Amino acid sequence: MISSSDTEVKDRGEIAKYTKPYSVAYFIVVCLLGAITGAVATALGTDLLGLYIVLLGFAAFVFLVFSNKDAKFRNLILLAFLLRMGLALFHAYVMPLPDSGEDAVMFERLGWQVAEAWFMGEEAPSLYGSFIYANWIGVLYFIFGRIPLVAQFTNVLLGTFTVYLTWKLAHLITNSRRGALISALIIALFPTLNLYSAITMRESFIVFFTVTSAYCFFLWLKRGRLMQMFGAVTLLLPASALHGGMVFIEIVYLFFFSFYHPKKKRWVAISLNSLIGILLITLAVFGGLMLTDKLPKDISLLFSADYLGERTQIAARDRAAYLTSFVPTSPLSMLLQTPLRILYFLYTPFVWMVSAAVDIVGFFDALLYIFLSIYTFKGLASLRRKDKLLFWGIVLILVVFLVVFAWGTSNYGTAIRHRQKIVWLLSVPAAIGIAKSRAWRWIYPVKRLYRGKTINNKIAAKRNP
């Protein structure tokens, strides 16, 4: 039995616990946030509410970031967020960013039409394929009012989490802290990734779901859990709905699922997985075709020279068009033109195409891809010696993506927007190549203790990659 004096002591201890300075501070902060939220909630559709949501999101993001123990990674992810958020605020309150007209304006306007229909109890516009993104904007506008900054903020968050997932993917593939940090740094700073994370375009959603899907796929290659492959296939579907070209990456996933056993670490010619894989390929590709508006319903048309020729001529529009005279006439000409179209897709505008100020920006973007490509080849050569399975996983995804988008693009303005969808994957082998270069060791010196002694970069790189 507890005596009265013991009870009093216990009560005093409980009271003291809740009257400590930090407990009181937490209570005051919660009360203030509640009061401010109540006041701001009456300001639907105003910039005040938009800025309040951004501030709350930023506070939550900082809290999550600082839970990571790696100080350099914390700085990188915070840098990525601030760059993207700064561009979003600049676009909202100073002047429009490049490529924020036409499609971006259309998505925003359609999103408001959806929200207005819901407000009025009317039937919303039927949107599918790439226009699904406008439905998301409609949901935000229905909850918060017409505040474009809130729609931009979701893209900012997804763009920042893309950096985080690329860091995890690079660490998984390279098994190197340095490689993961270099890859994350590339994605944090890459100009077009920052741009499309700050305007009302669907690119951030496509890239985020694709990176998440690929991370699950490479986890499956490493660990062989069925749920990881299921996650890879499933998470790619939203990206495929927003742009049908992404659905073809499913073929790479299901090829490995059909003929490789991760737990046994060996390839097989025929198995139950092969039959399941063939079925899943059919369902995934045709299911993706049903979700998207970017691909023909008859998949056989993608192998027709006449159809591809017609599509490339439609895509070769405006001043930025390229390869306008290269029209495929047979399957052989399609095969021969593919490498050329990939080169144009990745590296245009070439220097002789620069004729206006806007072309200089595109030329700088092309130079970045040349830089990435050089180190990607170096990194892939190194990875091939260490882990051929991961090497072929990366190469096949890259090849499928480049072939599909190279044939779907005949305009370097469109190419700039589409090729940034694969920068995250290029950054992983590129990080391997960069980490091995002498220039990087000079810029990013390694100073660590090994058995009580400071060691130089060369020894550090060998002992602690």
Side-chain angles (χ1 to χ4, degrees):
M1 184 175 178
I2 302 175
S3 64
S4 59
S5 58
D6 291 339
T7 303
E8 290 174 1
V9 170
K10 185 178 179 181
D11 290 342
R12 283 196 298 271
E14 290 293 322
I15 293 170
K17 184 172 71 173
Y18 290 110
T19 55
K20 289 182 179 179
Y22 64 82
S23 299
V24 174
Y26 288 158
F27 177 74
I28 292 172
V29 168
V30 169
C31 289
L32 285 174
L33 284 176
I36 295 171
T37 302
V40 173
T42 62
L44 282 176
T46 65
D47 287 347
L48 176 63
L49 179 58
L51 290 171
Y52 178 68
I53 291 169
V54 168
L55 287 173
L56 275 185
F58 177 67
F61 178 79
V62 168
F63 179 78
L64 289 173
V65 165
F66 280 90
S67 64
N68 190 292
K69 296 179 181 179
D70 191 331
K72 287 184 177 177
F73 172 71
R74 288 202 305 266
N75 293 338
L76 274 180
I77 203 75
L78 192 59
L79 173 65
F81 177 84
L82 291 175
L83 283 174
R84 287 157 172 78
M85 195 66 247
L87 284 174
L89 291 170
F90 182 87
H91 173 73
Y93 298 112
V94 181
M95 62 179 292
L97 291 170
D99 209 14
S100 60
E102 297 183 359
D103 287 354
V105 171
M106 176 190 63
F107 282 126
E108 195 277 336
R109 178 177 50 80
L110 285 174
W112 178 237
Q113 288 178 7
V114 170
E116 276 190 316
W118 290 339
F119 280 130
M120 301 297 182
E122 301 172 355
E123 185 177 353
S126 179
L127 302 175
Y128 65 97
S130 59
F131 297 102
I132 293 173
Y133 175 61
N135 280 327
W136 168 248
I137 296 177
V139 170
L140 295 175
Y141 284 1
F142 182 75
I143 297 171
F144 303 110
R146 192 175 188 177
I147 313 172
L149 183 61
V150 174
Q152 292 173 253
F153 185 57
T154 60
N155 284 353
V156 168
L157 290 177
L158 289 178
T160 308
F161 281 117
T162 295
V163 179
Y164 170 73
L165 287 165
T166 304
W167 173 75
K168 287 184 69 69
L169 176 64
H171 201 283
L172 178 71
I173 292 174
T174 66
N175 196 28
S176 163
R177 175 176 176 266
R178 173 186 284 188
L181 287 173
I182 295 171
S183 182
L185 178 63
I186 292 170
I187 304 305
L189 297 179
F190 207 84
T192 48
L193 283 174
N194 277 276
L195 171 64
Y196 289 108
S197 295
I199 58 180
T200 51
M201 293 281 277
R202 66 189 190 276
E203 265 61 34
S204 284
F205 279 77
I206 297 171
V207 174
F208 171 78
F209 281 110
T210 307
V211 176
T212 311
S213 167
Y215 179 65
C216 290
F217 169 67
F218 283 101
L219 272 178
W220 177 81
L221 284 181
K222 287 270 193 177
R223 300 171 188 173
R225 294 176 185 171
L226 187 60
M227 283 303 296
Q228 291 162 349
M229 176 54 77
F230 177 78
V233 172
T234 305
L235 287 165
L236 194 62
L237 291 179
S240 302
L242 291 167
H243 198 293
M246 309 307 292
V247 75
F248 292 99
I249 296 176
E250 301 274 19
I251 297 173
V252 179
Y253 295 171
L254 297 173
F255 168 78
F256 278 90
F257 179 73
S258 300
F259 302 109
Y260 182 73
H261 281 188
K263 290 185 178 179
K264 296 179 181 178
K265 305 292 183 186
R266 64 186 178 89
W267 294 88
V268 293
I270 190 72
S271 68
L272 178 61
N273 280 8
S274 304
L275 300 176
I276 296 172
I278 292 170
L279 176 63
L280 289 176
I281 285 173
T282 306
L283 292 175
V285 172
F286 282 94
L289 292 175
M290 294 298 292
L291 289 171
T292 185
D293 58 347
K294 293 292 184 181
L295 297 173
K297 299 306 177 186
D298 183 359
I299 194 71
S300 64
L301 287 175
L302 295 176
F303 303 95
S304 165
D306 291 337
Y307 175 80
L308 283 182
E310 180 185 347
R311 299 306 302 173
T312 54
Q313 289 302 298
I314 292 172
R317 62 186 185 274
D318 303 330
R319 187 181 60 84
Y322 58 73
L323 297 178
T324 54
S325 59
F326 282 77
V327 180
T329 56
S330 66
L332 179 60
S333 67
M334 288 165 54
L335 183 64
L336 294 175
Q337 286 185 31
T338 296
L340 181 64
R341 288 192 172 275
I342 290 174
L343 288 174
Y344 270 76
F345 173 71
L346 279 176
Y347 307 125
T348 51
F350 298 127
V351 65
W352 58 85
M353 294 179 173
V354 177
S355 59
V358 69
D359 295 333
I360 297 174
V361 177
F363 180 65
F364 174 72
D365 183 72
L367 289 177
L368 290 178
Y369 283 92
I370 293 172
F371 169 82
L372 272 183
S373 298
I374 292 169
Y375 284 103
T376 294
F377 281 116
K378 289 184 177 181
L380 285 173
S382 175
L383 186 62
R384 187 175 183 274
R385 291 191 295 269
K386 293 181 179 179
D387 196 321
K388 289 186 179 180
L389 182 69
L390 296 179
F391 165 81
W392 282 113
I394 293 173
V395 167
L396 288 178
I397 292 174
L398 282 174
V399 168
V400 167
F401 177 91
L402 291 175
V403 169
V404 169
F405 279 87
W407 274 105
T409 309
S410 296
N411 176 295
Y412 64 75
T414 308
I416 289 171
R417 177 161 55 88
H418 285 328
R419 65 196 182 199
Q420 58 92 35
K421 293 181 177 71
I422 204 64
V423 171
W424 58 272
L425 186 56
L426 288 172
S427 74
V428 177
I432 299 173
I434 292 171
K436 291 180 173 294
S437 68
R438 292 182 180 180
W440 179 260
R441 293 179 189 177
W442 179 76
I443 296 170
Y444 188 82
V446 176
K447 294 181 180 178
R448 294 186 180 178
L449 293 178
Y450 184 77
R451 294 180 181 176
K453 297 180 180 179
T454 302
I455 54 177
N456 62 28
N457 289 344
K458 187 177 291 186
I459 298 173
K462 291 179 180 178
R463 293 177 178 169
N464 199 351

